[in-house]
């Protein structure tokens, strides 16, 4: 059974965040490198557009998190936590966040995208052209790079998909090159 089919069965074909049944899609939590049931959830088109475009948030739509934050599935809890963090300046989400509990591993994954940080303190990763990089983006190498500690040379033009961001250094991202997880300096990549 595919991940999407398992999610549809698990959620009874409704959005796991707002319970809508329109335009349902699988969403894999960034910065996950592979899709599986434990790091994915089923979301409607409305939720997905607001997850991906944080600037167009409909605050009242997200009152549904009052219920979905109690889901038995960790991926749903993490997404609820992230959305509540985005909305925390509204007042009511702060109360829900105070009630929420995530174990240490889930909280670390929830914080991986930096939703909990104030905009002024966030580390911003930029490619060689100054374009902002986000977790899950795809980039291409702009020059040949020797991978330290191995005999691999990552060739110019190599695509690196589903990158992860280093949340302590704006110059580092992580991704897979020749099926090996490597750290890449952002000045050597261009966003696809």
């Amino acid at each position: 059974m595919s991940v999407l089919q398992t999610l549809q069965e698990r959620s009874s074909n409704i959005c796991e965040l707002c319970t809508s049944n329109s335009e349902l899609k699988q969403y894999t939590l960034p910065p996950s490198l592979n899709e599986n049931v434990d790091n994915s959830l089923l979301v409607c088109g409305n939720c997905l557009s607001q997850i991906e475009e944080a600037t167009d948030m409909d605050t009242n739509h997200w009152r549904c998190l009052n219920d979905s934050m109690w889901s038995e599935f960790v991926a749903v809890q993490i997404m609820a936590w992230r959305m509540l963090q985005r909305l925390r300046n509204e007042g009511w989400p702060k109360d829900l966040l105070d009630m929420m509990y995530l174990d240490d591993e889930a909280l670390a994954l929830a914080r991986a995208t930096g939703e909990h940080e104030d905009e002024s303190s966030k580390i911003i990763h930029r490619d060689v052209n100054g374009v902002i990089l986000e977790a899950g983006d795809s980039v291409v190498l702009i020059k040949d790079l020797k991978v330290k500690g191995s005999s691999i040379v990552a060739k110019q033009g190599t695509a690196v998909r589903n990158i992860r961001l280093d949340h302590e250094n704006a110059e580092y991202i992580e991704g897979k090159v020749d099926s090996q997880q490597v750290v890449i300096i952002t000045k050597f990549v261009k966003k696809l």
Side-chain angles (χ1 to χ4, degrees):
M1 188 180 296
S2 73
V3 173
L4 178 60
Q5 291 171 323
T6 305
L7 292 174
Q8 289 169 333
E9 186 177 302
R10 169 177 101 179
S11 68
S12 303
N13 276 318
I14 60 171
C15 175
E16 293 185 273
L17 296 174
C18 74
T19 68
S20 170
N21 61 2
S22 65
E23 301 177 51
L24 297 174
K25 293 182 172 49
Q26 173 184 333
Y27 179 76
T28 301
L29 294 171
S32 302
L33 293 177
N34 51 5
E35 299 176 353
N36 63 50
V37 175
D38 295 331
N39 66 8
S40 300
L41 60 154
L42 195 66
V43 296
C44 68
N46 189 14
C47 286
L48 183 60
S49 67
Q50 293 184 61
I51 289 168
E52 293 178 341
E53 295 293 326
T55 55
D56 299 329
M57 299 285 287
D58 174 7
T59 306
N60 285 327
H61 171 79
W62 293 106
R63 291 190 179 270
C64 61
L65 297 175
N66 189 37
D67 295 325
S68 55
M69 68 185 241
W70 302 110
S71 171
E72 65 184 287
F73 304 107
V74 176
V76 178
Q77 294 171 9
I78 289 171
M79 196 68 241
W81 186 89
R82 288 179 179 176
M83 298 312 292
L84 288 168
Q85 286 291 342
R86 284 189 196 175
L87 296 165
R88 68 184 173 274
N89 294 332
E90 297 294 322
W92 62 268
K94 180 106 175 74
D95 294 336
L96 294 180
L97 282 166
D98 289 344
M99 288 188 280
M100 228 179 145
Y101 172 78
L102 294 174
D103 64 34
D104 292 340
E105 185 179 330
L107 187 57
L109 181 56
R111 289 181 169 173
T113 57
E115 300 290 346
H116 63 292
E117 297 174 2
D118 291 328
E119 290 300 318
S120 61
S121 66
K122 278 188 181 179
I123 293 176
I124 299 173
H125 295 75
R126 295 182 187 272
D127 73 0
V128 68
N129 296 322
V131 176
I132 295 175
L133 299 172
E134 301 285 341
D137 283 346
S138 295
V139 297
V140 64
L141 301 179
I142 62 166
K143 68 179 268 183
D144 290 354
L145 299 173
K146 172 130 178 49
V147 178
K148 288 184 180 179
S150 77
S151 60
I152 297 173
V153 174
K155 297 288 185 187
Q156 177 179 350
T158 301
V160 181
R161 306 201 185 291
N162 203 9
I163 63 168
R164 288 196 261 180
L165 306 178
D166 183 320
H167 292 288
E168 295 177 8
N169 190 329
E171 292 185 12
Y172 295 152
I173 60 172
E174 294 179 25
K176 284 194 176 184
V177 174
D178 293 337
S179 71
Q180 183 174 350
Q181 188 74 14
V182 297
V183 174
I184 306 168
I185 298 174
T186 57
K187 68 182 178 184
F188 299 126
V189 299
K190 181 172 71 171
K191 185 174 178 178
L192 286 177

